[in-house]
Amino acid sequence: MSGNENTENVESTEHTGVEGAGGRSVRNGETVLVVDGLTVIGRPSDVEIISGVSITVKRGEILGLVGESGSGKTTLGLSLLAHCKRATEIVGGQVLVGDQDLAGLSERGVRQLRGRAVAYIPQSPASALNPALRLGVQLREALHDDSLSNGEVVERVREVLREVALPDDDAFLRRYPHQLSGGQQQRVAIAMAFVGRPDVIVLDEPTTGLDVTTQAHVLETIRSMTRDYGTAGVYISHDMAVVADLADDIAVMYRGEVVERGRAAEVLSAPQHSYTRQLLMAVPLLKTSGHEEAEPEEEPLLRVSGLTAGYGRTQVLEGIDVSVSRGECVALLGESGSGKTTLSRSVAGLHHQFTGEILFDGVPLAASSYRRTAEQRRRVQYVFQNPYEALNPRKRVRDQILGPYRHLVGRPADPDGVVAEALERAALSASYADRFPEQLSGGERQRVCIARAVATGPDLLVCDEITSALDVSVQAEIVKLLRGLQDQGMALLFVTHNIALVSNIAERVAVLNRGEIVEYGPVGQVMSSPQHEYTRALIADTPDFELSFPGAPERLGMDSGDRVVEG
Amino acid sequence: MTRLIVVRLFFGALTLWAVSLVVFAATQALPGDAAQLILGRDATPERLEALRNQLNLHEPVAVQYMQWLQGLVQGDLGTSFSNRMPVAEYLTDPVRSSLTLMGLSALVATPIALFLGAFSALRRDRAFDHTSSMGTLVVASIPEFVVGILLILMLGPGGLGLFPSVYAREGGPEQWILPVLTLALAVAPPIVRMMRATMIEVLESEYVQQARLKGMGERTVLWRHAAPNAIGPVAQVVALQLAWLAGGVVAIEFLFNFPGVGKVLMDAIENRDVPLIQAVVLLIAGIYILVNLIADVIGLAANPKVRVANR
């Protein structure tokens, strides 16, 4: 979307008219944010968190700021508002918005500019909206312009609410954040940022917690609002696919430095830095080609039939039929609230309130894991979504791995051997055995969780959104690891909301929507000719892009595992 | 929310009833019976028997309890053994004095403690925070009557001579100062510490960061964005402390010779004045329950999820 920038902008301005843009003349294309040599250090260690970062953004355009967790992108985003987290400090460089340098202003001066010159849209509106204050209060105060009367402020709030497609009546303004859905909360956060007609807006992964459908709507809103308001957007994300969809410019951050920046089309088609290429190739692409299908077995390893589950009186799953053959990966695809985690927990024996049958290797499994035999429990293992919470922080890796082993298999003759083998299967060296979880990165933690699960030699591994808390590049490595395990004969029940990931790992997919399986079949078939409306919507809303730079693998029939660049 | 409050009221009443059972059982366990206590060792068997009939002591224990409970509900707390006055009438003045003392202490301690805690949180890890942290720890670790004695030594007639150390009926308002100050010092430290901890947690939250990023001034951030979210947890501690006052006054009133329920209780115990003891203990328990109930209601009211959900 680089070429006809100006004509596009003129068009969008005409569409909405002057009032829609907040009654201000829009001068898209003019450079409004200039960051020059910005350096932020941590105290008291004096380590540079970001060093000498320079970026520029024009009105009406969006700069995608891409990097992994720990690359300093959030620190940079916050310092654009001259905000430093505890024990950090801006020690050099400029943040010019218009002609004012935020890095050099007093606290009072910065406060004046926040919300009007620069605004911020947080990652998780659920925790960034004040739970004790009504929406009206939070929206009104964001304007903090003393020259406006109360009536004018309310009128402006209503106007911006209409622009983000939210109700603007008094009843809505009187609501509290907990009375909204996740997508509505994010729209309120967007409205809150745009209410003061800022010149620059910083978006810190604003769609991370949202379903793809909601994400698509929110991104569309952000896109049109920045154009109409002539606001320069800085969109922080680790997800190259989203950025490719949205941004005009891309800046890639790595270890506190911008290693590459340029027009989005150029960065995507001809990445210069090896790290950019690595990031690009880590993105799981939506594949529509067929997969080699596993031979249908007489007796699948796991057969779930007529499963209906719920919590108390609320029914979550209805009439579920799924089966997993030996060495096969079946994906459960669904958005939050679709019941996919409840299903996987039922299979693992963690959720008891269900009716229906779960046959494992031809034998019915009891509802509760307490009533299953040790052997049954050994053969079904579970990997949890969040590796930051699934490991006991006070135990070393070797004890975490040996715990379930001792319980389910027995006292090992060679404990070190068991640990080393489990770690090796999770692609970690044996030296990790003596570490504590806090000494591991997110990806390493998840590998330890996998090592713990495979240590007992299970036949079925239930993976509950195991990559959703991880960076895209780490996700690619985990996917590769899982494929390796699968090649060794392990069956996988892979729970996810990421349709692109499904197309890269699974042989068959069950699409869950509101507790029912709406589509179930081989991945290639479901991806290339989705029968159900819901599946089609999911595919349409998933951000996707083509890799066209030299050396990039072909889009079709490609294996995500092969695309990972090591190092 | 109304439903929640009704449920809590019901449990409050249930607790009070349980306390009444315990109190009644305890007085039953005393050696001798009420008639013996009233008339003393030298009473003749005839007079004892007559009084027992008058007090219905021959009835089964359950019936006696029911009669006592019936009286309680109707506001009849019985007659004091030692001075033959109706207990309710006898307690009116001391209760009023004690409640005033407790109320004044709460009014002095709570706002100052909340402010100190909030300010410590804002100045986290700076000189003010360390000083207040040390100070509250020291004060909290000294028993309240020792604090009272120290205050008397420093500010009373022996020291600076600012305030009288003993309460006298004809004295002026300045004689309230030392008892109120002592109780306030006893109550405040945990409130300060809890307020500090809660505020630090709230100030680190994303919604406070978001308020700052919206350009709100520190005062707005503190009072509009942070404080309402700290009220719930802090209210619980404030309530515990204020409820402690109900029992805490006993020692302090004794120290300052203050004519409140605490002093009445001490005298009643000395005289084995059972109806009076029963009444005072029930009263203290009642205040305890009531204050905690109020804290629960404040905690619920401060949480919009509860407030809005049950409309």
Side-chain angles (χ1 to χ4, degrees), chain A residues 58 64 68 164 191 210 226 257 335 339 479:
Chain A
K58 292 176 185 158
E68 295 178 359
V164 296
L210 304 178
T226 45
E257 287 177 47
E335 306 198 322
V479 166

Side-chain angles (χ1 to χ4, degrees), chain A residues 1-12:
Chain A
M1 49 182 64
S2 55
N4 296 331
E5 210 63 51
N6 284 332
T7 41
E8 268 181 44
N9 290 339
V10 171
E11 271 169 23
S12 67

Side-chain angles (χ1 to χ4, degrees), chain B residues 222-251:
Chain B
L222 190 66
W223 296 118
R224 190 188 289 168
H225 287 266
N229 289 292
I231 284 177
V234 172
Q236 301 293 327
V237 174
V238 172
L240 272 179
Q241 289 305 106
L242 297 191
W244 173 87
L245 269 180
V249 287
V250 175

Side-chain angles (χ1 to χ4, degrees), chain A residues 387-422:
Chain A
Y388 292 89
E389 288 172 4
L391 292 173
N392 186 335
R394 291 174 183 276
K395 281 189 169 180
R396 291 181 195 278
V397 167
R398 62 177 274 124
D399 297 321
Q400 316 245 20
I401 292 173
L402 284 175
Y405 187 91
R406 286 204 185 99
H407 189 64
L408 297 172
V409 183
R411 187 169 290 278
D414 173 22
D416 291 333
V418 170
V419 173
E421 194 201 326

Side-chain angles (χ1 to χ4, degrees), chain B residues 186-266:
Chain B
V187 167
I191 303 179
V192 176
R193 297 176 84 82
M194 185 67 187
M195 185 65 180
R196 175 183 180 272
T198 312
M199 277 305 260
I200 283 179
E201 196 183 314
V202 172
L203 286 174
E204 296 274 297
S205 72
E206 283 183 41
Y207 52 81
V208 165
Q209 172 176 303
Q210 182 67 18
R212 290 195 169 123
L213 292 177
K214 273 157 74 180
M216 301 291 102
E218 276 304 298
R219 202 173 298 168
T220 316
V221 168
L222 190 66
W223 296 118
R224 190 188 289 168
H225 287 266
N229 289 292
I231 284 177
V234 172
Q236 301 293 327
V237 174
V238 172
L240 272 179
Q241 289 305 106
L242 297 191
W244 173 87
L245 269 180
V249 287
V250 175
I252 299 305
E253 288 183 359
F254 187 75
L255 180 68
F256 290 96
N257 198 31
F258 184 90
V261 284
K263 201 150 167 305
V264 170
L265 184 64
M266 301 292 266

Side-chain angles (χ1 to χ4, degrees), chain A residues 300-351:
Chain A
L301 181 66
L302 176 80
R303 184 192 289 281
V304 177
S305 39
L307 184 132
T308 298
Y311 296 87
R313 283 185 205 152
T314 322
Q315 192 163 314
V316 181
L317 290 169
E318 169 90 50
I320 300 293
D321 297 302
V322 179
S323 64
V324 184
S325 302
R326 287 172 185 78
E328 185 191 31
C329 175
V330 174
L332 286 176
L333 176 68
E335 306 198 322
S336 50
S338 62
K340 56 191 190 304
T341 293
T342 307
L343 178 52
S344 60
R345 287 171 63 88
S346 301
V347 168
L350 295 169
H351 181 74

